[in-house]
Amino acid sequence: MTRTGKIARLPRKIRTELNERLDNGEEGDSILAWINDMPVVDDILREQFDGARITKQNLSEWRQGGFREWAFRRQFIEQGCETFDAAAEMEAAFDAPLLAGHLAMLVATRYAALLNHWDGHYSAEFEQEAKLLRALNRDIALLQRSLQDAERHRREHEQVVEQKKKDRLTAPIMAQMESDAYYAALGGGGERDRAMADFMAAVKYDQRPPQSVIALREKMERMKEGAKSARPPKEEKPSKADGPSAPVAPSPTKSNQSEGSTPIPSGQAEPEAGVNTEKD
């Protein structure tokens, strides 16, 4: 259930401290004075509730809602921890799977006592006691199977934990052996092959990045930096702001020659205006 009240909009840390104060039996007036005096609470109330302060009614509603949910979760966790501790103490005191066997032995003893005093005649009293013993026997059998399953799961868990410990101890050795095999398969061609082989072995055995991979990576980074520094700078093209460029002589084409004019040979000066160049 999503709550939308004033207290529900406060940060989790403040709500937790509020619940602890309520759980310790602190008075409502003291709680209201504490919570309304916090700057972060004042900011939230201004943004979302037009600055309306938290009242006794808000606190009472929270006590019946959010606080009860918090108290239930806390009680559930505490009971689980107590049950776990009690089970650990019982396991240290005696072998739990054998307990059901002892109980079954007691029921068998009561069966023997019932039959020992039975005169062979069927009666309501005999049927009632026999029915009770049959029910106890079924419950004990179910309990025995449950304890056996729990013991099996516990042993399997211990085996998994022990195997993980062994794997952590042998993983570096196995990784080195795998790396040598990979290196030979790659042809043993130098530091690149060694780094590749070490990396594949490290991934397989969940190891940290090997030193050969780190060294190769650093070397490649240095080579990149060296190549950048050795590269000649690009030539910059002159811009218009650098000044006017030298004029380019137009080529003698039909477009820039007038009709009827004679082309001027290369190297000959152009005649002055008004001078007759035709021969008599």
Side-chain angles (χ1 to χ4, degrees):
M1 177 180 178
T2 303
R3 302 187 179 277
T4 59
K6 295 178 183 177
I7 298 178
R9 299 293 183 88
L10 300 180
R12 179 184 295 273
K13 183 178 180 180
I14 298 177
R15 286 186 280 118
T16 301
E17 186 174 352
L18 170 62
N19 291 329
E20 291 175 350
R21 287 171 177 258
L22 291 172
D23 190 54
N24 293 330
E26 186 173 341
E27 295 294 334
D29 293 337
S30 175
I31 294 177
L32 290 175
W34 160 75
I35 198 169
N36 283 314
D37 192 46
M38 301 181 69
V40 62
V41 175
D42 185 65
D43 293 340
I44 294 174
L45 295 178
R46 289 179 181 276
E47 293 175 1
Q48 303 184 24
F49 299 96
D50 297 329
R53 294 168 67 85
I54 298 175
T55 63
K56 290 184 178 180
Q57 181 64 27
N58 300 138
L59 188 61
S60 177
E61 292 175 356
W62 178 258
R63 191 192 298 271
Q64 299 300 322
F67 170 70
R68 293 184 63 181
E69 293 178 359
W70 173 85
F72 176 78
R73 290 195 301 269
R74 185 172 182 178
Q75 183 180 10
F76 181 78
I77 294 173
E78 289 178 354
Q79 290 177 350
C81 295
E82 291 176 358
T83 302
F84 184 82
D85 294 338
E89 292 177 2
M90 292 175 62
E91 186 177 1
F94 55 84
D95 195 351
L98 297 180
L99 177 61
H102 296 325
L103 296 176
M105 185 179 297
L106 292 176
V107 173
T109 303
R110 295 300 299 268
Y111 261 118
L114 177 63
L115 294 177
N116 188 36
H117 293 87
W118 186 42
D119 58 0
H121 297 283
Y122 181 81
S123 63
E125 183 180 358
F126 177 83
E127 175 61 23
Q128 183 178 1
E129 189 170 356
K131 184 178 181 180
L132 176 60
L133 291 174
R134 285 196 298 271
L136 289 174
N137 191 39
R138 287 194 298 268
D139 292 342
I140 291 173
L142 179 60
L143 177 62
Q144 194 170 17
R145 288 196 296 270
S146 299
L147 290 174
Q148 289 174 352
D149 291 341
E151 179 65 15
R152 185 179 71 254
H153 291 318
R154 184 183 66 82
R155 291 178 180 176
E156 291 176 353
H157 176 70
E158 291 178 351
Q159 290 177 357
V160 170
V161 172
E162 186 66 23
Q163 185 61 41
K164 287 183 178 180
K165 290 181 180 178
K166 293 180 180 178
D167 292 342
R168 284 196 296 269
L169 294 175
T170 60
I173 301 174
M174 298 301 297
Q176 185 60 47
M177 295 174 61
E178 290 281 350
S179 176
D180 294 340
Y182 291 148
Y183 184 67
L186 291 172
E191 58 180 345
R192 285 180 175 270
D193 289 347
R194 170 52 69 185
M196 180 64 69
D198 291 346
F199 177 76
M200 290 188 295
V203 171
K204 181 176 180 180
Y205 290 95
D206 194 20
Q207 298 291 295
R208 295 181 178 179
Q211 187 61 34
S212 59
V213 176
I214 298 174
L216 181 61
R217 186 184 304 166
E218 293 176 352
K219 181 179 179 180
M220 294 179 67
E221 291 294 333
R222 289 194 300 269
M223 292 175 63
K224 287 182 180 180
E225 293 298 329
K228 289 181 180 180
S229 60
R231 188 181 303 169
K234 294 182 179 179
E235 296 181 358
E236 296 183 358
K237 295 181 179 180
S239 60
K240 294 181 179 180
D242 295 336
S245 57
V248 180
S251 58
T253 59
K254 293 181 179 180
S255 59
N256 58 20
Q257 293 179 359
S258 60
E259 294 182 359
S261 61
T262 304
I264 304 301
S266 177
Q268 184 177 349
E270 185 178 354
E272 297 180 359
V275 179
N276 188 8
T277 59
E278 294 183 358
K279 294 181 180 182
D280 294 335

